């Protein structure tokens, strides 16, 4: 397997063991190997591609494929995503979300921007609801580009780039949609994180996932975005899980989410 950014072979063995299949607590029957690129730090998992057009993927990762359940699972993170992007200068602007799922980020910004919202989602069962909510809805970035080439002010994609076969080409597709001078925001789990260093096997079997083809350090993401032709790139690490989660991992070796224990206040 070659690095999608540098094209050199992935040769550094990062992890070998069980990986997560879908929801927390699920584990693969077989061991899997994660190898990384010695040059840029991107890591890869050699697995069969996932079909994102059917409901199977959402059933695997969310435990259901229903539009009605999507907000319960994903709403908690939407405000932090908008907070990371910032609200300045969005009035009247067009926003596209590639891999938007049930479209909750677009729901959040639609009333605020007042501009067009473009929902790109391969899972067809989400489309009727996305359209009902007023989002212009497409199956793929290529379909969206037929109407919105170089026309989007802000193109976002959260937790998608780690799934695609060719991350550089994927970002290139986002660039095709985006106006010259517009913004592209790409979010992905951070490979360079403390829990993976503290509990490489326990946290690794939770962090590494059958549906994630690639794992990015901040530097690997920067290089992938550069290779896709983006300019003025800023990579930020955002801690979405709190110290309670870290402490519970160290104590229990399993995820608890945020605020599971009362922490001392100073
Ligand atoms: Zn590389």
């Amino acid at each position: 397997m070659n690095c999608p950014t540098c094209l050199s072979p992935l040769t550094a063995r990062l992890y070998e063991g069980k990986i997560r299949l879908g929801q927390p607590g699920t584990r693969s029957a077989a061991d899997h190997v994660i190898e990384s690129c010695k040059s840029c730090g991107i890591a890869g998992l050699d697995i069969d591609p996932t079909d994102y057009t059917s409901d199977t993927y959402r059933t695997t990762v969310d435990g259901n494929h229903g539009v009605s359940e999507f907000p319960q699972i994903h709403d908690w993170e939407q405000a932090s995503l908008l907070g990371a992007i910032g609200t300045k200068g969005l009035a009247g602007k067009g926003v596209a979300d590639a891999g938007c799922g049930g479209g909750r980020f677009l729901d959040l910004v639609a009333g605020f921007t007042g501009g067009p919202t473009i929902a790109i989602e391969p899972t067809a069962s989400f489309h009727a609801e996305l359209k009902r909510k007023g989002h212009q809805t497409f199956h793929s970035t290529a379909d969206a580009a037929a109407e919105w080439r170089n026309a989007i002010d802000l193109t976002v994609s959260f937790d998608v780039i780690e799934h695609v076969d060719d991350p550089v080409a994927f970002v290139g597709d986002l660039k095709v949609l985006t106006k010259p001078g517009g913004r592209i925001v790409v979010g992905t789990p951070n490979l360079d994180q403390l829990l993976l260093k503290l509990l490489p096997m326990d946290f690794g079997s939770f962090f590494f996932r059958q549906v994630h083809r690639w794992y990015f350090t901040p530097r690997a993401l920067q290089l992938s975005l550069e290779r896709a032709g983006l300019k003025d790139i800023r990579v930020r690490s955002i801690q979405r899980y709190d110290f309670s989660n870290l402490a519970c991992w160290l104590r229990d070796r399993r995820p608890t989410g945020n605020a599971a224990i009362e922490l001392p206040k100073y």
Side-chain angles (χ1 to χ4, degrees), residues 3 5-6 8 37 39-40 42:
C3 171
T5 300
C6 321
S8 50
C37 171
S39 175
C40 75
I42 199 169

